[in-house]
């Protein structure tokens, strides 16, 4: 490695580490204010027994903000992983295979060996966002249930009254007053908890499914690009179509990129594509077209992390 390349990597390493700390700082700030805001807002919305339209609007707003912050945090997690991977790659390129990022200790602590609950950042963060969402969702369901109760009363139907008698007859602990408001909040709590748990499970399954599809498409694209010049790639519609799916872009955009790079001289193209083995060149070629990290594409096609 020449000195210019080494200095460039050292500068990039400093920026990567700085961005890593910045994302971590954003995460902890969100986690510090989100539970407090959720408890304060939900407490104000659910104060008293009068579940008004303002309660519904405030609870729905708090729920939407919490979901938006959870989505923002998920995107930050993607950038966080890429920063860790890039920093580890730079450490190895600089001859530091045992660096702070290259050899990060895994989250080894678990609760309940038969049904493990990992003690790691994302499990904790997911729990906080799920609990905050459930708290806001109670206000949404409470208003809807109260509106339904009033419709039942107006129609002369005794459903909620029967529910109250059932609660008293069951001899349940007297931690709730056996009136209509208690039944409303109890049902709202149960419904919100079930909805959040099912939502977290469904999103987790969807995330795993999409990640597996992305890895499969990435490995296929890089394999097809092995040994092909950029000009040949630009003249291979099936590969361009696969890159469009992989990069989440229109086929015309991918084709335009391939055409642009295919017109560059070999010397100019060398500024975009790293020289090396055919797999390395193919990974950088697909990276140019899809905006995905070449390192991740190479790791995927070689199955270095065992993800496929």
């Amino acid at each position: 490695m020449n000195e210019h390349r080494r200095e460039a990597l050292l500068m990039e390493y400093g920026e990567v580490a700085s961005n890593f700390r910045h994302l971590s700082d954003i995460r902890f700030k969100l986690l510090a204010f989100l539970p407090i805001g959720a408890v304060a807002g939900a407490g104000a919305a659910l104060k008293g027994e009068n579940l008004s339209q303002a309660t519904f609007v405030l609870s729905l707003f708090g729920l939407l903000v919490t979901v938006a912050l959870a989505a923002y945090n998920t995107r930050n997690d993607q950038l966080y992983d890429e920063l860790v991977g890039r920093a580890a790659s730079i450490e190895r390129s600089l001859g530091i295979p045992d660096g702070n990022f290259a050899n990060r200790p895994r989250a080894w602590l678990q609760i309940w060996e038969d049904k493990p609950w990992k003690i790691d950042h994302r499990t904790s963060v997911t729990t906080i966002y799920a609990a905050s969402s459930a708290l806001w969702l109670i206000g949404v369901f409470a208003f809807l249930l109260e509106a339904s109760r009033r419709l039942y009363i107006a129609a002369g139907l005794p459903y909620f009254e029967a529910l109250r008698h059932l609660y008293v007859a069951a001899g349940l602990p007297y931690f709730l007053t056996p009136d209509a408001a208690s039944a409303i909040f109890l049902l709202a709590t149960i419904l919100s908890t079930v909805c959040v748990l099912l939502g977290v499970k469904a999103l987790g399954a969807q995330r795993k499914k999409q990640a597996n599809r992305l890895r499969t498409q990435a490995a296929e694209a890089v394999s097809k690009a092995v040994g092909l010049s950029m000009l040949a790639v630009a003249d291979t519609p099936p590969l361009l179509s696969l890159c469009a799916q992989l990069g989440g872009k229109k086929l015309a955009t991918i084709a335009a990129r391939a055409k642009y790079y295919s017109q560059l001289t070999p010397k100019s193209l060398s500024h975009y594509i790293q020289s090396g083995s055919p797999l390395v060149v193919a990974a950088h070629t697909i990276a140019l077209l899809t905006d995905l990290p070449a390192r991740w594409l190479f790791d995927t096609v070689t199955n270095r992390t065992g993800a496929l």
Side-chain angles (χ1 to χ4, degrees), residues 132-182:
S132 299
S133 298
L135 189 58
W136 287 114
L137 202 54
I138 290 175
V140 174
F141 279 129
F143 172 81
L144 296 177
L145 290 172
E146 174 62 15
S148 301
R149 185 182 76 86
R150 293 180 181 180
L151 290 176
Y152 271 94
I153 293 175
L157 300 175
Y159 177 77
F160 282 93
E161 184 67 18
L163 182 62
R164 182 180 70 85
H165 288 298
L166 180 62
Y167 178 84
V168 176
L172 296 176
Y174 203 73
F175 62 90
L176 292 173
T177 56
D179 54 18
S182 296

Side-chain angles (χ1 to χ4, degrees), residues 215-235:
R215 293 189 185 99
T216 301
Q217 291 175 343
E220 183 181 356
V222 175
S223 298
K224 288 184 176 181
V226 171
L228 296 180
S229 65
M230 186 61 74
L231 182 59
V233 170
D235 291 332

Side-chain angles (χ1 to χ4, degrees), residues 12 40 64 68 75 91 154 230 299 308:
E12 183 186 0
L64 292 177
R75 176 54 179 162
E91 287 176 347
M230 186 61 74
D299 287 347
L308 295 177

Side-chain angles (χ1 to χ4, degrees), residues 37-121:
V39 172
L46 300 175
K47 186 177 182 181
E49 297 181 0
N50 184 22
L51 297 173
S52 63
Q53 293 179 354
T55 298
F56 176 77
V57 172
L58 180 59
S59 299
L60 185 60
F61 174 77
L63 177 63
L64 292 177
V65 170
T66 302
V67 172
L69 289 176
Y72 177 81
N73 181 76
T74 301
R75 176 54 179 162
N76 273 2
D77 284 343
Q78 295 174 346
L79 298 177
Y80 181 95
D81 289 342
E82 176 54 28
L83 288 174
V84 171
R86 179 54 184 162
S89 177
I90 293 175
E91 287 176 347
R92 297 188 182 101
S93 297
L94 294 174
I96 314 174
D98 55 349
N100 183 51
F101 291 97
N103 283 346
R104 300 186 76 202
R106 69 177 182 87
W108 54 268
L109 182 58
Q110 294 182 349
I111 299 177
W112 303 309
E113 291 292 338
D114 53 337
K115 294 182 179 181
W117 177 19
K118 286 186 177 181
I119 306 301
D120 59 6
H121 292 152

